[in-house]
Amino acid sequence: MKQIEERIKEIYEEVKQYSPYPEKVKVIAVSKYLTAQEMLPYLETGIITLGENRVQVIQEKYEELSTYPFAKSLEWHFIGNLQKNKVKYIADKVSMIHSVNKLSLAEEINKKMEALGKKMPVLIEVNVSGEESKEGYEVLEAEKDLPKLLNLKNISICGLMTMAPFTEDIEEQRRVFHKLRTLKEDWNEKYFQGSLTELSMGMSNDYKIALQEGATMIRLGRKIFY
Ligand SMILES: *Cc1c(COP(=O)(O)O)cnc(C)c1O
């Protein structure tokens, strides 16, 4: 196994190589494959931005890691499908929710954040590939909800997220990522006055293409942890 530090360094070299704006890119270390104990050697190398896709797992890991000196600097990003009735368990723990795919979910996050007196940074998850199986808003459906989403005072919509289809076809991946970037530019003009800054796209199998197409957050699991 390659040294962890070396692997992380390599990823940041690739960010410089592929991204048009490497200084804007954040690597989210998707730790869902590991237990809290297994995560320790990685956290000791200074990884602080973690992605998890299950509410219960975040709760457990958050608790288990809370006694370590680095716990306060950890940033948990929720990247999976989020059920409304579980928002309450993570509202005070995560620093961003990447997967807002329904108005009712956004409203629930807003409500919980209002109770905490805080604002949650969120991304709108868009199904740009059009695959039936994918989570995420259809573009038109999202546009219909945007006026209401923009009215929610305790969420801050800072960008868009998508998952590319599972395919080896690089041009298909590129098409999906390009479409998300174009949508961000379009929405920035029409609805957001430039306040959409983030594009969360790219996983271990397609992050280089996502970087070329302007990703600002890449979500890497297997690439970092295996
Ligand atoms: C698991 C997961 C990832 C990371 O996937 P890898 O292929 O391991 O890099 C990224 N995003 C989401 C939403 C995931 O569930």
Side-chain angles (χ1 to χ4, degrees):
M1 190 176 103
K2 222 181 274 178
Q3 290 299 309
I4 298 165
E5 280 99 341
E6 202 178 311
R7 223 178 309 167
I8 307 283
K9 213 175 108 209
E10 265 176 30
I11 293 168
Y12 276 98
E13 288 301 320
E14 288 171 332
V15 168
K16 277 196 209 137
Q17 189 183 340
Y18 292 103
S19 170
Y21 33 62
E23 68 290 349
K24 290 189 190 170
V25 176
K26 199 164 190 171
V27 177
I28 318 272
V30 179
S31 46
K32 66 186 182 190
Y33 307 102
L34 271 58
T35 64
Q37 289 305 311
E38 288 167 341
M39 285 164 69
L40 289 175
Y42 293 88
L43 300 177
E44 278 154 10
T45 70
I47 288 184
I48 53 167
T49 315
L50 302 168
E52 289 283 346
N53 65 346
R54 292 186 50 214
V55 167
Q56 202 187 336
V57 173
I58 290 205
Q59 284 180 279
E60 287 166 5
K61 288 183 177 176
Y62 189 90
E63 177 64 32
E64 196 172 338
L65 295 172
S66 66
T67 54
Y68 290 87
F70 51 71
K72 284 208 167 52
S73 51
L74 295 180
E75 254 186 49
W76 299 88
H77 287 235
F78 192 83
I79 61 173
N81 192 33
L82 181 55
Q83 285 172 301
K84 235 173 46 172
N85 61 352
K86 295 197 173 162
V87 171
K88 56 177 178 282
Y89 301 120
I90 57 163
D92 60 342
K93 298 183 180 63
V94 302
S95 37
M96 183 177 276
I97 296 174
H98 289 228
S99 43
V100 169
N101 55 9
K102 275 186 212 74
L103 179 59
S104 58
L105 172 62
E107 286 172 340
E108 180 64 17
I109 298 168
N110 187 65
K111 196 167 116 191
K112 291 295 178 269
M113 297 316 288
E114 192 179 357
L116 292 168
K118 290 187 183 163
K119 208 165 175 168
M120 177 68 76
V122 305
L123 307 178
I124 310 253
E125 182 177 0
V126 187
N127 179 358
V128 280
S129 76
E131 271 189 313
E132 290 274 335
S133 61
K134 286 272 185 288
E135 300 289 341
Y137 261 120
E138 301 297 325
V139 174
L140 290 179
E141 196 193 338
E143 285 188 329
K144 182 169 67 77
D145 284 351
L146 274 179
K148 284 185 179 145
L149 290 167
L150 283 162
N151 259 333
L152 300 171
K153 300 289 177 250
N154 292 77
I155 65 171
S156 153
I157 303 174
C158 34
L160 308 180
M161 182 270 224
T162 202
M163 311 246 289
F166 289 106
T167 169
E168 299 288 302
D169 182 348
I170 290 180
E171 288 318 309
E172 172 63 8
Q173 295 168 349
R174 189 181 300 288
R175 192 186 64 81
V176 167
F177 295 142
H178 187 79
K179 214 166 152 186
L180 195 72
R181 185 178 70 192
T182 310
L183 186 67
K184 170 179 159 273
E185 285 162 7
D186 180 44
W187 282 7
N188 257 338
E189 226 167 84
K190 287 193 193 135
Y191 310 105
F192 286 91
Q193 281 105 40
S195 66
L196 295 178
T197 56
E198 306 303 326
L199 281 174
S200 169
M201 56 190 199
M203 309 176 19
S204 295
N205 61 321
D206 54 18
Y207 66 98
K208 291 176 191 168
I209 316 280
L211 286 169
Q212 288 176 328
E213 294 304 324
T216 65
M217 295 180 160
I218 51 175
R219 309 179 307 269
L220 301 182
R222 288 164 298 154
K223 176 76 189 174
I224 294 178
F225 295 109
Y226 282 98

